[in-house]
Amino acid sequence: MSQPITKVFALYQNGFKAMTVGRTLWKIILIKLLIMFAVLKLFFFPNYLNTHFQTDEQRADHVLEQLARPSVQNH
Amino acid sequence: MVDVDLSLVNWSRAQFALTAMYHWIFVPLTLGLSFLCAMFESIYVRTGDEKWKALTRFWMTLFGINFAIGVATGIILEFQFGTNWSNYSWMVGDIFGAPLAIEGIFAFFLEATFFAVMFFGWNRVSKGFHLFSTWMVAIGSNLSALWILVANAWMQNPVGMAFNPETARFEMENFWAVLFSPVAMSKFTHATSSGFLLASLFVITISSWYLLKGRHMEMAKKSIVVASVFGLLASAYVGFTGDEAAFENAQKQPMKLAAFEGLYKGEQNAGLVAAGIINSAKKPGDSQSPFLFEVKLPGLLSLLANRAPGSFVPGIDDLVYGNKEQKVMGVAEKMKLGQQAVADLATFKQARKDKNENAAKDALARFTANREFLGYGYLSTPEEAVPPVSTVFYSFHIMVILGSFFPVLFLAYLFYTFKGRIAEVRWLLPVGISSYFLGLVAQQMGWIVAEVGRQPWAIQGLLPVKVATTNLAVGHVQATFFMFLGLFTLLLIAEIKIMLKQISIGPEGL
């Protein structure tokens, strides 16, 4: 059982070690994920309903309130 | 909505469009190039020729670069759902949850697992297992795309659900109706096959550059043969699925089809506009001509839209103001029913709050009778249901013209390659080099047609974009728009630099 796991581990280990252009790509991916989750998501993209309301009932009530407002007629 | 700031709605739209269009630079190439890599490798495994192995590894490296730069950019769209489109996000959570969860599982298990074997497994696993992994990456990538396209198709044709006024959510009633809706199927097949076409153009572009420079000639010629055959088949399939998509538009989103064609007055035996210049002063309901110039193919639109020669195709005026003779209900009439639905929803909400169950039950029954028109209740004027006609018309026609040009290009490449003269045809190679960029234009035009064409709806007929949006400060959305623009520009520059460096190195061993 442990031999296949060791083989899979070795595949990944050797693969990562032997990377050339892949190293640069991984750096880009990690920087991108860091910017996305640690900066954009955290400071600029909070979930509006989760941060403004405590329960699902309150969230549903808020959305229903938006939906139950009539439109303005511009004739 | 009383207090919607239209500039906020438009900036939110622009931000979403920017992200989606940037994401769509990478996705179609990933979808198509994964299959081309699998084909190249299949030839290598079948022939045992090491040159095909070197060729496969070269294209696989470019595939990896494209994948790495594009990966996770789609997650930004999900951030925007929660922040900029919170009403919409809440309402569709139940519908989108299942497809997007399945997409995540597919992406993780099929792509992530076999991706490692595909890149790290050369000479470490058997040839057969490596080839199997490459095919699994191709199939997995394309199946991942299925789920997000199903979600998009549901917005264009909301089926298999019911709106629950207690929770303000669309709840899924029939998963299979959502998955196998004809709109979802035509969207999936059209989007993926256009990705196959784009990847073929990508291979043609780079191979043509090598031929023009006199470098890696053998690899370039081998690549061109496979890419041209694949591209030719993909072109035929794109045409077939495009026809299917237009037919579905005619049945489910006739306003979008009318905008494709700049058709204001509905006609029996309607003609298809092959080319034209839109009269930008034209407004719904006025007597001006919609075109300054047009070339029409008689009767073809009726055939394509309804599969029935001579049939009636409704125009924008018929859809906005109604046409009793043709039994087309106008937007004005739908607005009245929609306003009634909105009022009944408000009554239901208040009755629930007051714990008046009888009043709530009556209001719910009235709401249910008109709920299919709910979205029309939020429109301010009937003309608001018309998308920007010029944008949709030109995008559609540019896409179709380019889509008709690509098979001719593939045929020319095949002809000269089999004649053994491809490297000598100096006029064709620059055209080939530009072809990938033309393919990208066609891809982006396709999304503009699909998404701008369905405006003002976030969910067709049920939820306009202006109600789907969150009431944020417009400055916040503007700031994040420019932040994304900067981030995406940097990432694109990084991709182009890495890609060009790799192309200039070329394949090893050839």
Side-chain angles (χ1 to χ4, degrees), chain B residues 195-504:
Chain B
F196 302 162
L197 201 161
L198 184 75
S200 304
L201 295 173
F202 179 76
V203 172
I204 295 279
T205 289
I206 293 166
S207 302
S208 302
W209 185 76
Y210 281 142
L211 291 180
L212 208 58
K213 293 282 170 191
R215 295 176 57 196
H216 312 299
M217 305 282 277
E218 191 181 350
M219 183 210 78
K221 287 176 189 170
K222 284 176 190 289
S223 302
I224 282 171
V225 171
V226 178
S228 296
V229 172
F230 187 54
L232 204 53
L233 292 172
S235 297
Y237 197 51
V238 166
F240 172 74
T241 55
D243 172 64
E244 194 61 30
F247 173 72
E248 289 305 330
N249 282 150
Q251 310 309 311
K252 314 285 182 352
Q253 296 172 295
M255 185 68 87
K256 190 195 275 189
L257 185 92
F260 281 3
E261 285 296 307
L263 181 70
Y264 279 82
K265 297 258 181 258
E267 293 171 27
Q268 310 268 7
N269 201 29
L272 187 78
V273 179
I277 298 172
I278 287 269
N279 176 5
S280 56
K282 169 75 181 161
K283 298 274 179 287
D286 71 15
S287 57
Q288 293 192 68
S289 169
F291 289 97
L292 299 176
F293 160 80
E294 64 180 315
V295 179
K296 242 180 181 176
L297 306 172
L300 202 55
L301 183 61
S302 288
L303 183 65
L304 293 176
N306 300 322
R307 308 268 197 263
S311 59
F312 179 79
V313 180
I316 290 169
D317 288 351
D318 303 289
L319 295 162
V320 171
Y321 305 112
N323 182 333
K324 280 188 183 159
E325 196 185 323
Q326 297 294 336
K327 295 181 182 140
V328 178
M329 188 194 268
V331 173
E333 200 178 336
K334 290 180 183 177
M335 279 172 67
K336 280 184 191 157
L337 298 171
Q339 285 154 10
Q340 188 58 53
V342 174
D344 290 331
L345 190 63
T347 309
F348 171 78
K349 185 175 178 290
Q350 190 57 46
R352 269 274 190 263
K353 205 173 175 181
D354 300 341
K355 301 193 186 307
N356 185 342
E357 289 309 315
N358 284 337
K361 198 176 161 191
D362 289 348
L364 183 60
R366 290 195 305 272
F367 170 76
T368 306
N370 292 321
R371 69 181 170 189
E372 67 177 295
F373 303 104
L374 178 67
Y376 290 92
Y378 305 109
L379 300 185
S380 306
T381 64
E383 292 79 9
E384 200 184 331
V386 182
V389 177
S390 299
T391 309
V392 179
F393 173 85
Y394 288 122
S395 304
F396 177 71
H397 283 79
I398 290 169
M399 176 186 73
V400 172
I401 289 166
L402 287 172
S404 309
F405 162 70
F406 297 138
V408 178
L409 183 76
F410 292 129
L411 277 174
Y413 265 81
L414 276 177
F415 176 79
Y416 285 112
T417 304
F418 285 117
K419 284 268 179 189
R421 291 176 46 212
I422 187 67
E424 297 151 29
V425 193
R426 308 307 277 185
W427 63 268
L428 183 60
L429 297 177
V431 181
I433 290 172
S434 67
S435 68
Y436 169 63
F437 305 99
L438 295 175
L440 272 180
V441 170
Q443 288 282 344
Q444 298 291 342
M445 291 299 125
W447 275 107
I448 291 172
V449 170
E451 300 305 301
V452 177
R454 73 165 150 126
Q455 296 302 315
W457 304 112
I459 303 170
Q460 183 70 33
L462 296 174
L463 185 72
V465 169
K466 65 180 182 182
V467 184
T469 193
T470 312
N471 201 4
L472 300 169
V474 68
H476 177 92
V477 184
Q478 285 171 325
T480 47
F481 174 90
F482 288 109
M483 226 178 267
F484 283 141
L485 190 62
L487 177 68
F488 294 155
T489 307
L490 282 175
L491 283 170
L492 201 57
I493 291 170
E495 171 172 31
I496 292 168
K497 279 187 80 170
I498 298 168
M499 195 76 96
L500 287 180
K501 189 180 170 193
Q502 208 59 36
I503 292 166
S504 107

Side-chain angles (χ1 to χ4, degrees), chain B residues 8 14-15 28 40 49 80 92 111 133 146 164 367 375 451 478 482 501:
Chain B
L8 164 70
Q15 190 185 78
F40 292 138
D49 184 345
Q80 290 172 22
V92 301
E111 285 180 53
S133 301
L146 168 70
N164 183 345
F367 170 76
E451 300 305 301
Q478 285 171 325
F482 288 109
K501 189 180 170 193

